[in-house]
Amino acid sequence: DVQLVESGGVSVQAGGSLTLSCAVSGLTDRHNCMGWFRQVPGKEREGVAAISTGGGSTFYADSVQGRFTISEASARNTIYLQMNSLRPEDTAMYYCAANTRYSGSWCSRIWESEYSYWGQGTQVTVS
């Protein structure tokens, strides 16, 4: 079974930094799209960053471009989201997700509908 487990969500002050981790297990192909999404109550889930694992291409939503960095540690089966210059509007539940149908430039489509596997989420609060 595919399992994604997020960690690292905490409360931070505006302007601060935070790194989220996603431990991945059960994927049979190392070439996938791995994404980070966020959601606040009453709003749709927003794709913020994605990486083509095994290739390293990264993609970002405009709202986080230049502030967030997605990366992978393939040996540890872990995906990271480094978040800098945090703003109150970054407050959300953050989810890690896997899209096993595509890789490479297709990962630029950070759409919820493209992702089949999801973690349980980790809360980030910026005040």
Side-chain angles (χ1 to χ4, degrees), residues 108-120:
S108 64
R109 308 193 322 178
I110 319 173
W111 304 342
E112 181 180 3
S113 60
E114 296 284 343
Y115 286 74
S116 303
Y117 302 99
W118 295 85
Q120 82 289 349

Side-chain angles (χ1 to χ4, degrees), residues 58-113:
T58 57
F59 307 91
Y60 299 93
D62 290 344
S63 58
V64 305
Q65 181 75 48
R67 300 189 298 122
F68 289 11
T69 302
I70 187 171
S71 62
E72 63 169 328
S74 57
R76 297 181 180 178
N77 292 325
T78 303
I79 304 295
Y80 300 101
L81 185 67
Q82 170 71 39
M83 304 185 292
N84 298 325
S85 302
L86 283 162
R87 305 166 180 169
E89 54 263 40
D90 295 319
T91 295
M93 184 71 78
Y94 282 74
Y95 298 90
C96 175
N99 174 354
T100 58
R101 292 183 295 170
Y102 300 117
S103 62
S105 61
W106 288 99
C107 299
S108 64
R109 308 193 322 178
I110 319 173
W111 304 342
E112 181 180 3
S113 60

Side-chain angles (χ1 to χ4, degrees), residues 13-27:
Q13 291 188 338
S17 298
L18 188 62
T19 299
L20 304 182
S21 300
C22 174
V24 182
S25 62
L27 291 178

